[in-house]
Amino acid sequence: MASEEEPITFAYLRKRAGLTQRQIAEAMGVTVGTVSQWETGGQRPRLFPEQIQKLLHILNCTLEEFVDAFSPNEP
């Protein structure tokens, strides 16, 4: 679980899994720029259910954590 200082974000999940943006991009068949956009909030992933399952496996995270990573931060 993320610490109080570090909310669950896509970058947090990626780093926790010990992966680089390039490794995620190659595994998912997207560009590094796309992964960067996922991390900065510039773009949300548009994935088919099979792709989501693959990304959950790659990141070793739960669906809840994945959804939390892309939910707007509450004040």
Side-chain angles (χ1 to χ4, degrees):
M1 206 30 94
S3 68
E4 289 297 319
E5 300 82 36
E6 188 168 11
I8 294 179
T9 63
F10 188 80
Y12 168 82
L13 294 175
R14 176 184 61 77
K15 290 173 188 175
R16 184 181 72 181
L19 299 169
T20 65
Q21 287 183 348
R22 180 168 305 283
Q23 288 171 313
I24 296 288
E26 289 174 357
M28 294 303 297
V30 299
T31 67
V32 174
T34 296
V35 175
S36 177
Q37 288 288 309
W38 294 348
E39 289 192 4
T40 62
Q43 176 181 331
R44 286 181 162 197
R46 293 185 198 151
L47 304 170
F48 291 108
E50 299 82 18
Q51 293 170 306
I52 293 171
Q53 283 297 117
K54 182 176 183 179
L55 195 49
L56 295 178
H57 178 74
I58 292 167
L59 295 172
N60 192 28
C61 70
T62 66
L63 181 57
E64 181 179 5
E65 288 175 317
F66 184 79
V67 170
D68 285 349
F70 293 101
S71 297
N73 291 336
E74 297 297 320

